Amino acid sequence: MPLLYVTDLAYPARGRRYGDEDIFLTSRLREHFGLALCHPRDARAMLGLGFDAVVVRNSGPVLHYQRDHDAFRAAALAAGTRVYNPLTGRGDMAGKQYLLDLTAAGYPVIPTVDDPADLGLLPSVPTYAVKPKRGADSIGLTFTDRPEGPAGEILIQPRVDFAYEVSFYFVDDAFQYALYAPDPARRWELTPYEPTPADLDFARAFIGWNTLAHGIQRVDACRAPSGELLLVELEDLNPYLSLDLVAPEVRDAFVTALAQSLHSFLED
């Protein structure tokens, strides 16, 4: 079962080592599959070369290669190519519209609008976060007391004075582990986190909403001053996994779950 594994090993991610993580994962997945690695800009050209599926991993923010990504996505859909994660994801894979949809549906998410004229729909706070709707990795993020920008092209959220951020990692719908950043100013200085049943119910609600039968997902949340968790991001395109920060047995269990998920995905 040969797989095309899409990664940018040299992407300079702040606080993360994309290359190291994907070198580790591919070294372990080779025990189960044949693998070829390629850069996201080359993925479209590699389709049709006999791979059973394409696995998209640490490929970096799509906005850096938007045209190549759009061409790959269109070609994969047209040819019926198996892509993992599947291209039906409703989270970050499809853009940031889900933050607006979840806000409107009453989910526990940081309230979000995409038009300064709708500011009255948000809680009144001293400072708002404004970022491009097609952004990623905090690119273009600003804080202001007077949000401005073209309607439909930006996201506006109240700046939340949260206690910490926490991430929940899933393979398919199975929870694997959680990590959190005790210092809000140091997003990627993570340590293991023991979730409560309520925490897991929170995370699983978004996994269920996304309806992906197979794939790796990361649910990012913050602990609000009221004590509740609020969704920050539902990463279903290429979530970084911080596998170097978990115990060896947790890392091994994740690889086993991923291999099983890929086998099941290929057999469906």
Side-chain angles (χ1 to χ4, degrees), residues 121-139:
L121 299 176
L122 299 180
S124 179
V125 294
T127 309
Y128 296 86
V130 181
K131 52 191 173 183
K133 201 171 186 179
R134 294 176 66 89
D137 213 15
S138 297
I139 296 170

PDB file of all heavy atoms in Angstrom, residues 121-139:
ATOM      1  N   LEU A 121     -22.988  42.202  18.245  1.00  0.00           N
ATOM      2  CA  LEU A 121     -23.332  40.815  18.552  1.00  0.00           C
ATOM      3  C   LEU A 121     -22.325  40.157  19.485  1.00  0.00           C
ATOM      4  O   LEU A 121     -22.572  39.066  19.999  1.00  0.00           O
ATOM      5  CB  LEU A 121     -23.422  40.004  17.255  1.00  0.00           C
ATOM      6  CG  LEU A 121     -24.473  40.470  16.243  1.00  0.00           C
ATOM      7  CD1 LEU A 121     -24.388  39.627  14.967  1.00  0.00           C
ATOM      8  CD2 LEU A 121     -25.875  40.383  16.842  1.00  0.00           C
ATOM      9  N   LEU A 122     -21.184  40.816  19.684  1.00  0.00           N
ATOM     10  CA  LEU A 122     -20.131  40.276  20.543  1.00  0.00           C
ATOM     11  C   LEU A 122     -20.197  40.920  21.927  1.00  0.00           C
ATOM     12  O   LEU A 122     -20.728  42.023  22.080  1.00  0.00           O
ATOM     13  CB  LEU A 122     -18.749  40.551  19.932  1.00  0.00           C
ATOM     14  CG  LEU A 122     -18.470  39.956  18.562  1.00  0.00           C
ATOM     15  CD1 LEU A 122     -17.054  40.335  18.110  1.00  0.00           C
ATOM     16  CD2 LEU A 122     -18.628  38.439  18.574  1.00  0.00           C
ATOM     17  N   PRO A 123     -19.648  40.251  22.934  1.00  0.00           N
ATOM     18  CA  PRO A 123     -19.539  40.896  24.237  1.00  0.00           C
ATOM     19  C   PRO A 123     -18.725  42.182  24.131  1.00  0.00           C
ATOM     20  O   PRO A 123     -17.771  42.258  23.364  1.00  0.00           O
ATOM     21  CB  PRO A 123     -18.804  39.840  25.077  1.00  0.00           C
ATOM     22  CG  PRO A 123     -19.035  38.542  24.376  1.00  0.00           C
ATOM     23  CD  PRO A 123     -19.121  38.880  22.924  1.00  0.00           C
ATOM     24  N   SER A 124     -19.122  43.185  24.889  1.00  0.00           N
ATOM     25  CA  SER A 124     -18.384  44.448  24.893  1.00  0.00           C
ATOM     26  C   SER A 124     -17.123  44.292  25.741  1.00  0.00           C
ATOM     27  O   SER A 124     -17.202  43.976  26.938  1.00  0.00           O
ATOM     28  CB  SER A 124     -19.262  45.569  25.450  1.00  0.00           C
ATOM     29  OG  SER A 124     -18.550  46.796  25.480  1.00  0.00           O
ATOM     30  N   VAL A 125     -15.963  44.452  25.112  1.00  0.00           N
ATOM     31  CA  VAL A 125     -14.678  44.280  25.790  1.00  0.00           C
ATOM     32  C   VAL A 125     -13.754  45.427  25.403  1.00  0.00           C
ATOM     33  O   VAL A 125     -13.974  46.106  24.386  1.00  0.00           O
ATOM     34  CB  VAL A 125     -14.024  42.930  25.406  1.00  0.00           C
ATOM     35  CG1 VAL A 125     -14.843  41.765  25.922  1.00  0.00           C
ATOM     36  CG2 VAL A 125     -13.836  42.826  23.894  1.00  0.00           C
ATOM     37  N   PRO A 126     -12.697  45.673  26.182  1.00  0.00           N
ATOM     38  CA  PRO A 126     -11.773  46.759  25.846  1.00  0.00           C
ATOM     39  C   PRO A 126     -11.003  46.526  24.554  1.00  0.00           C
ATOM     40  O   PRO A 126     -10.661  47.470  23.848  1.00  0.00           O
ATOM     41  CB  PRO A 126     -10.825  46.820  27.049  1.00  0.00           C
ATOM     42  CG  PRO A 126     -11.554  46.140  28.151  1.00  0.00           C
ATOM     43  CD  PRO A 126     -12.396  45.093  27.500  1.00  0.00           C
ATOM     44  N   THR A 127     -10.715  45.243  24.238  1.00  0.00           N
ATOM     45  CA  THR A 127      -9.871  44.939  23.087  1.00  0.00           C
ATOM     46  C   THR A 127     -10.444  43.750  22.323  1.00  0.00           C
ATOM     47  O   THR A 127     -10.935  42.786  22.929  1.00  0.00           O
ATOM     48  CB  THR A 127      -8.434  44.607  23.530  1.00  0.00           C
ATOM     49  OG1 THR A 127      -7.955  45.633  24.402  1.00  0.00           O
ATOM     50  CG2 THR A 127      -7.497  44.504  22.330  1.00  0.00           C
ATOM     51  N   TYR A 128     -10.338  43.837  20.992  1.00  0.00           N
ATOM     52  CA  TYR A 128     -10.794  42.766  20.124  1.00  0.00           C
ATOM     53  C   TYR A 128      -9.614  42.212  19.320  1.00  0.00           C
ATOM     54  O   TYR A 128      -8.659  42.942  19.005  1.00  0.00           O
ATOM     55  CB  TYR A 128     -11.861  43.281  19.152  1.00  0.00           C
ATOM     56  CG  TYR A 128     -13.110  43.754  19.836  1.00  0.00           C
ATOM     57  CD1 TYR A 128     -13.209  45.064  20.301  1.00  0.00           C
ATOM     58  CD2 TYR A 128     -14.194  42.901  20.041  1.00  0.00           C
ATOM     59  CE1 TYR A 128     -14.356  45.506  20.947  1.00  0.00           C
ATOM     60  CE2 TYR A 128     -15.345  43.333  20.680  1.00  0.00           C
ATOM     61  CZ  TYR A 128     -15.421  44.644  21.136  1.00  0.00           C
ATOM     62  OH  TYR A 128     -16.558  45.071  21.781  1.00  0.00           O
ATOM     63  N   ALA A 129      -9.694  40.945  19.005  1.00  0.00           N
ATOM     64  CA  ALA A 129      -8.723  40.317  18.113  1.00  0.00           C
ATOM     65  C   ALA A 129      -9.281  40.353  16.702  1.00  0.00           C
ATOM     66  O   ALA A 129     -10.438  39.992  16.474  1.00  0.00           O
ATOM     67  CB  ALA A 129      -8.462  38.877  18.538  1.00  0.00           C
ATOM     68  N   VAL A 130      -8.448  40.792  15.749  1.00  0.00           N
ATOM     69  CA  VAL A 130      -8.847  40.857  14.348  1.00  0.00           C
ATOM     70  C   VAL A 130      -7.789  40.130  13.531  1.00  0.00           C
ATOM     71  O   VAL A 130      -6.584  40.361  13.698  1.00  0.00           O
ATOM     72  CB  VAL A 130      -8.969  42.316  13.858  1.00  0.00           C
ATOM     73  CG1 VAL A 130      -9.420  42.347  12.394  1.00  0.00           C
ATOM     74  CG2 VAL A 130      -9.944  43.092  14.733  1.00  0.00           C
ATOM     75  N   LYS A 131      -8.232  39.234  12.651  1.00  0.00           N
ATOM     76  CA  LYS A 131      -7.284  38.489  11.818  1.00  0.00           C
ATOM     77  C   LYS A 131      -7.924  38.173  10.474  1.00  0.00           C
ATOM     78  O   LYS A 131      -9.162  38.144  10.351  1.00  0.00           O
ATOM     79  CB  LYS A 131      -6.849  37.198  12.521  1.00  0.00           C
ATOM     80  CG  LYS A 131      -7.978  36.312  13.012  1.00  0.00           C
ATOM     81  CD  LYS A 131      -7.444  35.212  13.910  1.00  0.00           C
ATOM     82  CE  LYS A 131      -8.573  34.423  14.552  1.00  0.00           C
ATOM     83  NZ  LYS A 131      -8.063  33.393  15.490  1.00  0.00           N
ATOM     84  N   PRO A 132      -7.113  37.917   9.463  1.00  0.00           N
ATOM     85  CA  PRO A 132      -7.669  37.589   8.140  1.00  0.00           C
ATOM     86  C   PRO A 132      -8.462  36.288   8.190  1.00  0.00           C
ATOM     87  O   PRO A 132      -8.068  35.328   8.862  1.00  0.00           O
ATOM     88  CB  PRO A 132      -6.419  37.434   7.263  1.00  0.00           C
ATOM     89  CG  PRO A 132      -5.324  38.125   7.996  1.00  0.00           C
ATOM     90  CD  PRO A 132      -5.648  37.983   9.450  1.00  0.00           C
ATOM     91  N   LYS A 133      -9.569  36.249   7.467  1.00  0.00           N
ATOM     92  CA  LYS A 133     -10.402  35.056   7.453  1.00  0.00           C
ATOM     93  C   LYS A 133      -9.675  33.886   6.810  1.00  0.00           C
ATOM     94  O   LYS A 133      -9.919  32.729   7.130  1.00  0.00           O
ATOM     95  CB  LYS A 133     -11.702  35.348   6.703  1.00  0.00           C
ATOM     96  CG  LYS A 133     -12.838  34.401   7.029  1.00  0.00           C
ATOM     97  CD  LYS A 133     -14.135  34.913   6.417  1.00  0.00           C
ATOM     98  CE  LYS A 133     -15.319  34.073   6.840  1.00  0.00           C
ATOM     99  NZ  LYS A 133     -16.593  34.604   6.263  1.00  0.00           N
ATOM    100  N   ARG A 134      -8.769  34.166   5.894  1.00  0.00           N
ATOM    101  CA  ARG A 134      -8.004  33.113   5.230  1.00  0.00           C
ATOM    102  C   ARG A 134      -6.623  32.952   5.863  1.00  0.00           C
ATOM    103  O   ARG A 134      -5.733  32.349   5.267  1.00  0.00           O
ATOM    104  CB  ARG A 134      -7.848  33.431   3.741  1.00  0.00           C
ATOM    105  CG  ARG A 134      -9.161  33.402   2.979  1.00  0.00           C
ATOM    106  CD  ARG A 134      -8.972  33.813   1.526  1.00  0.00           C
ATOM    107  NE  ARG A 134      -8.160  32.840   0.807  1.00  0.00           N
ATOM    108  CZ  ARG A 134      -8.647  31.779   0.171  1.00  0.00           C
ATOM    109  NH1 ARG A 134      -9.955  31.559   0.174  1.00  0.00           N
ATOM    110  NH2 ARG A 134      -7.873  30.948  -0.478  1.00  0.00           N
ATOM    111  N   GLY A 135      -6.449  33.474   7.051  1.00  0.00           N
ATOM    112  CA  GLY A 135      -5.143  33.412   7.698  1.00  0.00           C
ATOM    113  C   GLY A 135      -4.906  32.088   8.404  1.00  0.00           C
ATOM    114  O   GLY A 135      -5.761  31.211   8.454  1.00  0.00           O
ATOM    115  N   ALA A 136      -3.705  31.985   8.967  1.00  0.00           N
ATOM    116  CA  ALA A 136      -3.318  30.790   9.733  1.00  0.00           C
ATOM    117  C   ALA A 136      -2.073  31.126  10.530  1.00  0.00           C
ATOM    118  O   ALA A 136      -1.328  32.054  10.198  1.00  0.00           O
ATOM    119  CB  ALA A 136      -3.028  29.622   8.787  1.00  0.00           C
ATOM    120  N   ASP A 137      -1.862  30.360  11.620  1.00  0.00           N
ATOM    121  CA  ASP A 137      -0.627  30.475  12.390  1.00  0.00           C
ATOM    122  C   ASP A 137      -0.415  31.892  12.925  1.00  0.00           C
ATOM    123  O   ASP A 137       0.710  32.391  12.974  1.00  0.00           O
ATOM    124  CB  ASP A 137       0.567  30.062  11.514  1.00  0.00           C
ATOM    125  CG  ASP A 137       1.664  29.389  12.329  1.00  0.00           C
ATOM    126  OD1 ASP A 137       1.386  28.999  13.481  1.00  0.00           O
ATOM    127  OD2 ASP A 137       2.782  29.261  11.820  1.00  0.00           O
ATOM    128  N   SER A 138      -1.510  32.583  13.279  1.00  0.00           N
ATOM    129  CA  SER A 138      -1.485  33.947  13.825  1.00  0.00           C
ATOM    130  C   SER A 138      -0.972  34.989  12.832  1.00  0.00           C
ATOM    131  O   SER A 138      -0.649  36.109  13.215  1.00  0.00           O
ATOM    132  CB  SER A 138      -0.632  34.008  15.101  1.00  0.00           C
ATOM    133  OG  SER A 138      -1.183  33.194  16.116  1.00  0.00           O
ATOM    134  N   ILE A 139      -0.888  34.641  11.548  1.00  0.00           N
ATOM    135  CA  ILE A 139      -0.438  35.585  10.533  1.00  0.00           C
ATOM    136  C   ILE A 139      -1.494  36.680  10.363  1.00  0.00           C
ATOM    137  O   ILE A 139      -2.665  36.399  10.127  1.00  0.00           O
ATOM    138  CB  ILE A 139      -0.192  34.874   9.190  1.00  0.00           C
ATOM    139  CG1 ILE A 139       0.955  33.870   9.331  1.00  0.00           C
ATOM    140  CG2 ILE A 139       0.124  35.874   8.082  1.00  0.00           C
ATOM    141  CD1 ILE A 139       1.135  32.956   8.139  1.00  0.00           C
TER     142      ILE A 139
END
